[in-house]
Amino acid sequence: MELKRGVKLLRGSPNTLIVEKYVVDPGQPAERAGDIVAEAGPSPVVLLTHFHADHLTAVPDGAAVYAPWGEELFVQSTRARLFFTHGVYTEGAIYKGRDLNVAGVVKPGDKVGPFEVVPLPGHTLGHVGYYVDGVLYAGDALFGEKVLEKYGVPYLMDVDMFLSSLDKIEALEPEVLVFGHGPVAGSRKRIRELVEANRSSVERAVRLVESALPADLTTLAIKVLKETGGERGWENVLLTMTTVRAVLSKLSREGRVYLDESGAWIKNYNDR
């Protein structure tokens, strides 16, 4: 599918953007690499928004891979990738990818081929987007409503960064917004709806975590999933624990919670 002249979309979950030999987030499964080579040629340049396995499993052999600055180790190493994604290394993860050679790193403000690198941290700490000719590829800086409903809360590593990146997406006013998991948004109205859906989901996660205290990390994650109706498989429990950690980090920075010697997170009523 051509979004604009020379700007091609390869649909999937995640979606992939291709301009000439440049490929943003090849995605998964591994067999998708053949479709990418057919569009971009035998020696593509792969630009990753972040290190998660579902966005890089289909990197074609021989591709030059560029990782966001600070995330290159997790692109290179499957073991590091899975540990940092889940908080524990497990062979049973649905998405794993493989070890990859990293040709270089990209930083916000860089120009790589036709793309400008845009800072969109929060989902991961080094997450970036790619902007070309009015089209913004935002990766997992936001999610479609069906994904939010399925998983309960957005996966994120920093609450305030994630919310600031939503503001950044709106401020850029792209004509077309492509993101990892969901249909392309082709109007400002639709982009605003997506931003607000993600903002509301994050704000709800913060409220749910705080209202469930005192509790330990695992109990908090399960309570959040129960309240939101999110998928309850073991892997989503682990992923939700990362979001809960991010919420607790925010609340701790603000002096609203503390961790006691038993491992339970407690409201700090002294800040009231």
Side-chain angles (χ1 to χ4, degrees):
M1 175 183 178
E2 195 165 56
L3 300 176
K4 286 196 168 186
R5 186 173 182 179
V7 181
K8 299 176 183 178
L9 174 71
L10 190 59
R11 294 180 188 272
S13 187
N15 293 305
T16 299
L17 200 66
I18 300 174
V19 180
E20 300 169 347
K21 66 177 180 178
Y22 296 90
V23 179
V24 180
D25 282 4
Q28 55 84 31
E31 293 75 21
R32 185 178 172 90
D35 297 330
I36 291 168
V37 169
E39 292 288 349
S43 301
V45 176
V46 168
L47 307 175
L48 297 174
T49 58
H50 63 297
F51 67 85
H52 284 161
D54 58 326
H55 288 251
L56 54 74
T57 297
V59 168
D61 291 339
V65 179
Y66 287 79
W69 180 85
E71 298 199 357
E72 54 269 33
L73 170 63
F74 309 117
V75 173
Q76 291 170 321
S77 167
T78 303
R79 186 173 291 272
R81 180 187 312 133
L82 293 183
F83 185 88
F84 204 63
T85 300
H86 297 97
V88 61
Y89 176 77
T90 173
E91 288 286 347
I94 295 173
Y95 302 118
K96 295 170 66 174
R98 66 186 192 278
D99 291 354
L100 293 170
N101 293 322
V102 173
V105 298
V106 296
K107 295 181 179 180
D110 284 354
K111 278 281 285 182
V112 186
F115 289 101
E116 178 184 348
V117 184
V118 178
L120 295 175
H123 177 68
T124 66
L125 300 180
H127 192 291
V128 298
Y130 295 92
Y131 188 83
V132 58
D133 194 22
V135 178
L136 174 64
Y137 187 96
D140 286 355
L142 80 174
F143 299 93
E145 290 93 343
K146 288 184 178 179
V147 172
L148 296 175
E149 181 179 349
K150 179 179 180 180
Y151 294 106
V153 294
Y155 178 101
L156 54 85
M157 293 184 175
D158 189 288
V159 171
D160 292 333
M161 283 182 176
F162 191 93
L163 293 173
S164 293
S165 290
L166 294 178
D167 292 338
K168 176 76 170 179
I169 290 168
E170 270 201 297
L172 282 171
E173 297 187 337
E175 298 172 34
V176 179
L177 175 65
V178 182
F179 51 104
H181 306 281
V184 170
S187 71
R188 290 181 182 176
K189 178 177 181 292
R190 179 61 184 139
I191 292 170
R192 284 195 301 271
E193 289 172 351
L194 284 165
V195 166
E196 287 310 310
N198 280 263
R199 191 188 312 282
S200 296
S201 186
V202 172
E203 291 171 349
R204 178 176 64 165
V206 173
R207 290 194 303 270
L208 287 173
V209 169
E210 193 166 19
S211 67
L213 298 174
D216 62 79
L217 177 64
T218 305
T219 300
L220 286 169
I222 292 171
K223 284 184 175 181
V224 167
L225 288 174
K226 183 177 180 180
E227 289 295 322
T228 59
E231 191 175 273
R232 296 281 291 278
W234 68 266
E235 192 160 16
N236 198 39
V237 171
L238 288 178
L239 295 174
T240 302
M241 286 168 68
T242 297
T243 299
V244 171
R245 286 189 189 96
V247 171
L248 291 169
S249 296
K250 171 183 171 62
L251 297 177
S252 179
R253 283 196 308 270
E254 295 171 355
R256 294 158 63 183
V257 300
Y258 65 93
L259 182 67
D260 75 4
E261 63 276 7
S262 72
W265 287 90
I266 311 292
K267 284 185 181 180
N268 182 9
Y269 291 99
N270 293 330
D271 73 327
R272 297 291 188 261

